[in-house]
Each structure stands twice: as structure tokens, then as C-alpha cells.
Amino acid sequence: MKCSVRKGDLTQEACDVLILNAFEGWKTFGGATADVDKALNGLLSKVAQEERFTGKPESSLLFYTHNLIPAKRVLLVGLGKKEDFCEEAVREASAIALQKARDIRAKTIVSILHGAGNGKLPARQAAKAVVEGCLLGGYEFLKHKSKEQSQKNPLTIELVTRNSKIFRQAQEGVTLGEVFAKATNIARDLVNEPSEHLSPAHLVESAKKMVQETKGKISIRVYDRAQLKKMGAEALLAVARGSDQEPFLVHMIYKPAKAKKKVALVGKAITFDSGGLSLKPPEFMETMKIDMAGAAAVIATMSTLPILKPSVEVHGIFGTCENMPSGKAIRPGDVVQAMNKKTIEIFNTDAEGRVTLADSLSYATKQKPDMIIDLATLTGACMVALGEEIAGFMSNDKKMTELIEKAAEQSGELLWELPLEKRYRKLIESSIADLNNVGKSRRKGGAITAGLFLQEFVDDIPWVHIDIAGPSFAERPLNAYTKYGASGFGTRTLLEFLRNL
Ligand code: BES
Ligand code: ZN
Ligand code: ZN
């Protein structure tokens, strides 16, 4: 799929489909949609009325132009209520348009710049949102389908505006939208890949390949079992013990010349979570290939840095292994020591993410960054609290809380703060070690006790923990551009965060 922006007149564009729009409850069309209606002698509005096109989100109307204008068809899409209008509405409308255009096997698509006129969005944001909607909405994971092939003919999407003043901005928006969406789709590919094809070693290979493609702009260090032992990463090694797969710790570095800040991004990277000896019931295990979605977002984010060129030093870190039961597996009641010397009593081997993160976060802390963000598919409890679309986040720092909230808002990803309540700290005490890996309250407040556990490994460095267990994987469509499967959640928030610094 190729996206671009051009100056032009939509009434004069030859293409398979011309995408236009209307708000919910429309009486007359506005902007370029009105111009095209005029060129069609008012037929478009007539048909739209007859067909009761509402303009609601996800509504659409396909109209054959019969050579009245050079475009073969017009596809009208609904933007929803004008008062609710925002970038998210543009993403969703663009995704719907792309999917409808693909259904009719269109090859050339010309689109109005949704929202840049009547919607009053800055052209840069409008263009970015259109491109994100198209590229995310057009995503498919067909690698393991033997027959069903994606439509092979490459689609081209041209955004056309007659306003030459906003052209530059729109062009910037297209480039940004492409970077954001492609990165998100990289994360989706990694998360959708079954564990058999994405072992810890495969995940390391993916990171190395990404780094290679940056031609020296990003460097990488990979620590294997022997090196992890020397470093004292006993917590990661303990979780890895039950599996036949080798564990690794990966450290990617992006270091621009005049960096203002140093940020560490840490991802949970369990390539399959069976629960270990505290084995999960079958239906809870079905989608546990997704338990490396945090690391996927980190790898995807790193891949964009040579293009986005933020003036921050970024360290991408993940400790990866598989959580399996076997004669060698860690047992409930065992005690392990993390890299920062704190000891952990393992009561439940299914709370393995926080145990591996104990070492990844200790390692990140040793790099002395100005801030740390970790992303982890950490707790079912977070999903119970916030549902499938909203990630929970916790932070030890007010300023970082504000920064992450702003970034999430810009990205369209939903984040909600949970308290790192000090009074719950007693719940993760152990009678024989420094910490217990599960809260004494069991599932009650489980996302928070997990956050409090992680806090023990970041010292006083400003830190945000994002629990992405809910939104990482869509078991049903979450919105027009996130259908069944991996969502790539977190990638776009991280990118906005880094760009804002
Ligand atoms: N990977 C899971 C959390 C998870 C659940 C992610 C559902 C995505 C969807 C995590 O390792 C886990 O099993 N957590 C346990 C912790 C409990 C044993 C304290 C949970 O949430 O049940
Ligand atoms: Zn688990
Ligand atoms: Zn897990």
C-alpha cells in the first residue's frame, strides 16, 4: 500500500474509488464533498438521502458515477457526530473506506483529507490519521493460510487537497502516519506469530534483523544463559528453567549526537506462558503466544528511531524466555535472587512476567536512564478492572504520568491510571524472602500489587509501568482498524512520548 498527498481538484481525479465524507445528521454536504456533488448534478446527495446514508461511524455508501466525473465510483463514509469529531474518527472512517475499497478490488484510491476543512483538524494530524487508519485497517496476518491470499495488486492511496497552504503539513502527516502504522504492524506481526515460530531465539533474531536494517544507527547486545548467570540474572533464568528454549537478554541502543535525555524502554517477552507448574487451564492458554507483546512494541518503536530522529538516547531492553512446566521447572515455594540482589519467593509460577521483569528492570536501572517505561501483558486483573480496550498504567512520578497521558491521548490508545498504593505494599511481603511474587489478596487489586512488585527494581528513577494485558490482543474487533488478533498496542504511545521529549 502506497500513500501520498497531492494538490488537485477532487472533481477531476481519475481513480477506481474517490473517498468523500459527511458528518452524522448531515442535511447538505460540506467542502470538497459538496463540490463533487455539484459536479454530479446533485445526484450524490439525492442517492445518499434515498439510501438513508446516516453519516454515523462505520456507515458508508458506494455510488457509481457513470462517467459524470473521472472517478469511477464515489465512496461516502460517515465521520460520526461533528461535536465528537477527532483524529480517532478519521482513523476509523479511513479504515472503513480502505476495507470497502478493497472489497470491490479497487487499485487506485483518491481520498479527501478528512477533517482538515470542516472538522478543523490541523492538516498534519488529519493526514497522519488518514494514513494510520488505512494502513492499520488494511493489516492482515495471512502467513499461515495455505490458500487465502491477500489481494496482490498494490493499492495506492492519494490524498488530494486543493488548499496549497496546507500541502506541506499534509505531506509531513503522511510520512508520520506511515512510520507509526508500519511500526504498529511490525509489532502485530511479532505478536500474531505462533510460539513455535517465535521462540526466544527467534525474537532475538527479529531484533537483530531490525537493528541490521538501521545500518548502524542502532546497536545491539545479546546476553545468553552463561552471561546471564555471570550478571546474576537468576530471576529470568529461574522462569526459563522449565523450558527447552534458551533464554536471552537483549539491549538495543539508539544514541544520537546531542541527546537531551536518556530513556529506557523495557518489554515483557515471554514467548509462551503456560503458567509453568502453576499450569493455566486450557482456555486461558489459547492466546498465550501474545505474552511478548511488550517487547514487540519496544522492537517496533526502536525500528522507527533512525527515521523519526528524536533527540533522546533510547535503550530498548527485554529479557526473553518461555514459561513451561517440566522436571526442571521452578516450583512454587522456591526462592530466587534478582540482579539487584533482592530475593523473591515464587508462590505462583504463573506470575512469571514480574519475575523476569525484575531482572530486565534491574538491568535498565543500571544503565542510569532519566526515565524508564515498561510495557507488559502482566495481569488478568488489569483486564478485569479496565476491560479489553484500556491499558492500566502506574507511575512513581507526576511529570511522567502527565507525559504518558498526553502521548496516549495523541496516539488514540486508551490508558488509565491505577494507584501505586503504599498501603498495599505489605501484600507482597514474604515471610522467608524480600518479596513474594503474588499478592496476599490473591486476585484483588492484582494489577496494583504487580506494579508495586516492579517498583522494587527501578530504584528512584522516574518510571511508568503499562499493563497491556487487555488491549494487546483483540478477541473481537476493538474498532474499525483493529480486527481479530494482535493490536500492536503501546507502539504509538511510545512513539508520541519520544517525539514529545
Ligand atoms: N501473561 C499473564 C497475564 C495475561 C492474562 C496476559 C491474560 C494477557 C491476557 C500473566 O503471566 C499471568 O498469568 N498473570 C497471573 C498472575 C497471578 C498468578 C497472580 C494472572 O493474571 O492471573
Ligand atoms: Zn503467567
Ligand atoms: Zn505471562
Side-chain angles (χ1 to χ4, degrees), residues 268 273 280 288 291 348 350 352 377-380 383 438 469:
K268 173 172 170 181
D273 182 10
K280 284 181 187 292
M288 275 306 127
D291 219 15
N348 190 320
D350 195 13
E352 84 299 336
T377 44
L378 205 62
T379 66
M383 263 166 113
V438 288

Side-chain angles (χ1 to χ4, degrees), residues 257-278:
K258 285 191 204 96
K260 287 184 234 143
K261 283 259 155 32
K262 181 167 167 181
V263 183
L265 307 177
V266 179
K268 173 172 170 181
I270 302 295
T271 60
F272 186 74
D273 182 10
S274 71
L277 287 177
S278 312

